[in-house]
Amino acid sequence: MDAKEQKAKGNAAFKAGDYATAVGHYSSAILSDRSDPTLPLNRAAAYLRLGKNEDAERDCTTVLSLPSGKDNVKALFRRGQARVALGLTKDAETDLREALRLEPQNDAVKAELDKLKSATTQAPSRKPHRRRVPITIVDDKPPPPPPAATQTVTKPQPVSQPSPKPRDPLETREINGKRVGGGIFRYQPTKAQDAAPDLSKKPSATIDVSSRLPPQNPPTLYDFTRTWNNLKSVEERWDLLTDLPPQSLSTTFRTSLGPQLLISVLTTFISILFNCTPSAKARILEYLRAFPSVPRFDFVIMFLTEKEQRLVEDVWKAYHTTPGKGDAAHWKA
């Protein structure tokens, strides 16, 4: 299999949220073609998602050392992000300022640089260090019982059991026999009722901003995605989405927003825009403005297919603009 095929498989795995598999395909592609800067650049993006910041930094440095990768803004930007995570704030600032010099209008670089400035004013930069954690191997065999003559019978005392620890919505768990995690459960449906609902039909009634009171606590990422995938109509999905205030998108999705969920939300928006009140249309615009605040949103946009990019354009047409301009500045791949 050549580098192009391995790269395509890596892109598909990345889009599906399977970043470890994406790293494997990109690595195979790099072995076949070490001159293509997009291969280590894409692998760096996958490493960032996995929290392997040292590997991401190394791959970005490789890109910048290639003749065709010199002055690559994405490589500078991602290496800056990796170095921020590693605590190398001065080096990160150097990368981000160079990226901004090459592309003065790059809003993603500006936002990352502003975030770095804010962080450095609150805490001094320090070089990270590796912690060595001692591991004790425990023998599974129970200790032998004491001699019968010396055994004493004691009445067992009731032991209070601690409350079960609430499950983190981002931890790995088993669903339908498959290990999934990262907040977005990407298992393949095995039953007809598990299939995605048909959202191509227009709503039966005019959609408005729900008059019901929003919940005191917005749904967790796990609860939101599980319920979203089970809903069968545009109206139901819209009601669920309005339980999630636009300003809470970044803290709810964190780094777990994937292309599949984003496109599913945009498809719902398209269906609603056919028949909605001005207040609902204004609320959709609030969500569109808030999505770019979700971490790694630029990576999600970068991996959209051409068909999905056209869907993004169709949504923004309702607001008389196109991706890359105005409120849609961060939506251009």
Side-chain angles (χ1 to χ4, degrees):
M1 190 177 298
D2 61 15
K4 185 178 295 185
E5 292 174 324
Q6 290 287 2
K7 179 182 177 182
K9 288 193 172 184
N11 290 346
F14 186 99
K15 181 178 177 180
D18 190 354
Y19 306 118
T21 299
V23 167
H25 287 301
Y26 291 141
S27 298
S28 297
I30 291 170
L31 292 175
S32 300
D33 184 4
R34 295 185 179 276
S35 64
D36 185 352
T38 66
L39 301 178
L41 185 64
N42 288 3
R43 189 170 68 174
Y47 276 141
L48 283 172
R49 287 298 187 93
L50 292 169
K52 298 176 72 66
N53 299 298
E54 291 179 349
D55 294 320
E57 180 192 27
R58 183 188 65 247
D59 272 356
C60 291
T61 300
T62 299
V63 173
L64 295 167
S65 67
L66 295 172
S68 55
K70 184 180 179 182
D71 295 335
N72 188 298
V73 172
K74 287 184 179 179
L76 289 167
F77 177 65
R78 291 174 191 170
R79 189 170 70 174
Q81 290 181 313
R83 287 176 169 177
V84 167
L86 291 169
L88 306 175
T89 54
K90 290 184 178 179
D91 292 335
E93 183 177 1
T94 300
D95 284 339
L96 294 173
R97 288 192 179 280
E98 177 62 12
L100 191 61
R101 184 188 69 80
L102 295 170
E103 287 188 9
Q105 304 304 319
N106 192 314
D107 292 327
V109 175
K110 290 180 182 178
E112 194 71 18
L113 193 56
D114 290 340
K115 190 190 305 182
L116 176 61
K117 290 178 181 178
S118 176
T120 52
T121 57
Q122 297 176 7
S125 173
R126 62 187 182 90
K127 187 174 181 179
H129 63 279
R130 295 181 181 271
R131 293 191 302 164
R132 296 185 179 275
V133 181
I135 299 176
T136 302
I137 299 177
V138 180
D139 191 350
D140 292 333
K141 297 180 179 179
T150 60
Q151 287 184 356
T152 58
V153 178
T154 58
K155 184 179 180 180
Q157 298 295 324
V159 180
S160 59
Q161 298 294 331
S163 301
K165 182 180 178 182
R167 173 174 283 181
D168 189 328
L170 299 183
E171 71 175 335
T172 301
R173 67 204 70 182
E174 184 169 324
I175 293 182
N176 289 350
K178 294 181 178 292
R179 300 298 298 180
V180 294
I184 307 301
F185 302 123
R186 302 183 182 281
Y187 66 95
Q188 296 297 323
T190 56
K191 300 180 181 179
Q193 60 266 31
D194 291 332
D198 181 8
L199 300 179
S200 60
K201 298 180 180 179
K202 298 181 182 180
S204 57
T206 301
I207 296 291
D208 196 359
V209 177
S210 177
S211 59
R212 62 190 173 86
L213 293 176
Q216 293 183 351
N217 297 317
T220 65
L221 177 60
Y222 170 68
D223 290 335
F224 178 85
T225 53
R226 181 182 60 178
T227 305
W228 180 271
N229 291 332
N230 288 331
L231 294 179
K232 304 301 180 183
S233 71
V234 173
E235 293 89 343
E236 290 174 327
R237 285 191 164 185
W238 173 248
D239 283 342
L240 176 64
L241 189 60
T242 55
D243 287 344
L244 198 64
Q247 64 270 21
S248 70
L249 294 183
S250 61
T251 54
T252 300
F253 291 117
R254 292 184 277 180
T255 59
S256 296
L257 176 65
Q260 291 178 343
L261 180 59
L262 177 62
I263 291 303
S264 178
V265 172
L266 294 180
T267 302
T268 302
F269 287 165
I270 281 287
S271 301
I272 292 173
L273 287 170
F274 282 125
N275 188 22
C276 69
T277 64
S279 60
K281 185 175 181 180
R283 176 61 65 85
I284 291 175
L285 181 59
E286 291 180 23
Y287 284 112
L288 293 173
R289 288 171 172 167
F291 265 114
S293 67
V294 176
R296 314 300 189 206
F297 179 79
D298 56 322
F299 291 157
V300 177
I301 292 296
M302 181 180 65
F303 279 90
L304 295 183
T305 64
E306 292 184 6
K307 182 179 179 180
E308 291 167 343
Q309 291 172 14
R310 287 195 295 271
L311 176 64
V312 173
E313 294 173 359
D314 290 341
V315 172
W316 281 107
K317 281 179 183 178
Y319 300 95
H320 308 290
T321 187
T322 57
K325 298 180 181 179
D327 289 327
H330 299 282
W331 286 80
K332 187 174 180 61

